[in-house]
Amino acid sequence: MKNIIIQTMVTFCLICSLSGINAQEKVKEPLNVIVFGAHPDDSDNKMGGTAALFAQMGHRVKFVSVINGDAGHYEKGGGHLAKIRRKEAQEAGKRLGIEYTVLDNHDGELFPTIEVRHQVIREIRKWDADIVLTHRPVDYHPDHRYTGVLVQDAAYLVIVPNVTPDTPPLKKNPVFLYLQDHFQKPNEFKADITVDITSVFDKKMDALDAHTSQFYEWLPWTAGKLLDVPKTEKEKREFLNKGWSRPISDKTRASLTKWYGSQKAMKAKHAESFEICEYGKQPTDEEIRELFPMLNN
């Protein structure tokens, strides 16, 4: 009997060694993270790097586009464009190692109705979310603003059984977070949590690259720079990296220092920040480290 126990322990240690797991560590259930962007590509732009890190660590991430994107182009539109953008979103999801869903609400026409609120509640419940992220309801685009409002409206109702009763309620309220923006009024964004995404920045750019109709066509057109978009794939990628690489601000660097320490924080070249919403579960710093395990590396 003693020999059997010893042999079992040796086998377990060998498995742990091969898998990179410390035998003393407690194996935890994967975290369920869901991100609501207004349009296909919004979540990728705000959360792509952190999503890639979660996925690499074995956690479950889902991007949900509340809008189908059928107005976001200067030549294409309607159902044809919606199909293109859904296909681009699916490709971006593959590149990040996550799931990607595009809801069928019209671009530029979103309003925080009961119907769409039910859609958001169902998505959060079906994903059994631990973390929910979205836009702040302070933004230049009405679709962004109302996506933020819709998720805020769901922040308590996801645990109420008699609301959206066709989908079982959550047993716990998730942590709700805002994606980073640069708007100042009535309140500027607060970097409560900041993740170093330097190691996965290229993967984030891979996801943006999948949204061809946006990053190489629509967005340059809206900025009056369509003629500046290069022709070759290599030059396009350099164009993308240059245009969507955000410098780390002093406030973001201070947040990095809090979570990683000064030495690691100073080495970070790329980061994504998140603000804790007043609604939903209010996490302690210790709980944040559990919800964002990459902060412990």
Side-chain angles (χ1 to χ4, degrees):
M1 182 67 179
K2 183 178 180 181
N3 289 337
I4 294 174
I5 293 174
I6 293 173
Q7 184 176 1
T8 301
M9 292 178 65
V10 170
T11 302
F12 174 73
C13 291
L14 179 60
I15 292 172
C16 289
S17 175
L18 292 174
S19 62
I21 301 174
N22 187 318
Q24 300 299 319
E25 290 182 357
K26 181 181 178 181
V27 178
K28 298 182 179 180
E29 290 294 322
L31 293 162
N32 298 324
V33 182
I34 189 166
V35 189
F36 289 88
H39 310 94
D41 77 275
D42 284 337
S43 296
D44 317 48
N45 187 20
K46 301 286 188 177
M47 172 77 178
T50 305
L53 289 173
F54 271 122
Q56 286 181 3
M57 300 178 80
H59 302 291
R60 300 174 67 240
V61 182
K62 184 175 187 178
F63 284 178
V64 178
S65 175
V66 180
I67 299 297
N68 63 16
D70 58 1
H73 205 274
Y74 54 92
E75 289 180 338
K76 308 162 188 174
H80 173 62
L81 179 58
K83 288 180 181 179
I84 291 173
R85 299 199 65 182
R86 183 172 282 107
K87 184 177 180 180
E88 290 173 344
Q90 293 302 318
E91 177 60 27
K94 290 178 183 178
R95 295 182 185 188
L96 290 173
I98 66 169
E99 292 195 28
Y100 214 129
T101 293
V102 179
L103 303 181
D104 199 23
N105 298 300
H106 291 300
D107 198 343
E109 299 180 8
L110 184 66
F111 200 74
T113 63
I114 297 297
E115 179 186 1
V116 184
R117 183 193 298 173
H118 287 327
Q119 294 175 10
V120 171
I121 290 172
R122 290 188 189 103
E123 291 291 337
I124 295 172
R125 287 177 174 177
K126 287 188 293 185
W127 199 246
D128 192 19
D130 297 296
I131 309 171
V132 182
L133 302 100
T134 192
H135 305 279
R136 290 199 304 159
V138 178
D139 199 286
Y140 79 102
H141 200 304
D143 289 344
H144 294 187
R145 292 198 299 271
Y146 292 139
T147 295
V149 170
L150 284 158
V151 176
Q152 280 186 345
D153 289 348
Y156 171 69
L157 298 179
V158 291
I159 65 172
V160 179
N162 285 323
V163 173
T164 323
D166 58 1
T167 310
L170 296 183
K171 296 180 180 179
K172 57 178 175 39
N173 213 354
V175 171
F176 286 78
L177 303 173
Y178 295 125
L179 303 166
Q180 188 171 7
D181 61 58
H182 61 273
F183 302 105
Q184 303 293 308
K185 297 178 181 180
N187 303 107
E188 66 177 325
F189 174 86
K190 182 183 178 185
D192 292 318
I193 304 165
T194 301
V195 176
D196 178 2
I197 65 163
T198 306
S199 65
V200 290
F201 178 74
D202 286 343
K203 184 163 286 192
K204 176 177 180 175
M205 291 298 105
D206 287 342
L208 300 193
D209 175 74
H211 295 276
T212 301
S213 70
Q214 301 304 292
F215 291 97
Y216 300 127
E217 298 172 10
W218 172 238
L219 294 174
W221 183 86
T222 61
K225 297 180 179 180
L226 185 60
L227 295 178
D228 295 340
V229 179
K231 302 300 181 184
T232 69
E233 293 303 316
K234 181 180 179 181
E235 289 176 328
K236 280 185 177 180
R237 187 52 182 266
E238 292 173 353
F239 172 83
L240 185 70
N241 288 6
K242 182 179 179 181
W244 295 95
S245 175
R246 298 286 185 258
I248 297 178
S249 68
D250 291 342
K251 291 182 179 180
T252 299
R253 189 76 67 182
S255 182
L256 279 169
T257 300
K258 173 182 177 178
W259 296 108
Y260 291 91
S262 57
Q263 186 173 3
K264 289 185 178 180
M266 291 307 297
K267 292 180 179 179
K269 296 180 180 179
H270 306 281
E272 291 172 341
S273 294
F274 312 101
E275 178 179 343
I276 300 171
C277 175
E278 291 181 292
Y279 314 139
K281 178 179 173 60
Q282 299 300 290
T284 64
D285 284 359
E286 182 179 354
E287 288 170 330
I288 288 172
R289 288 192 180 277
E290 292 177 356
L291 291 169
F292 287 80
M294 66 284 293
L295 298 177
N296 302 310
N297 292 341

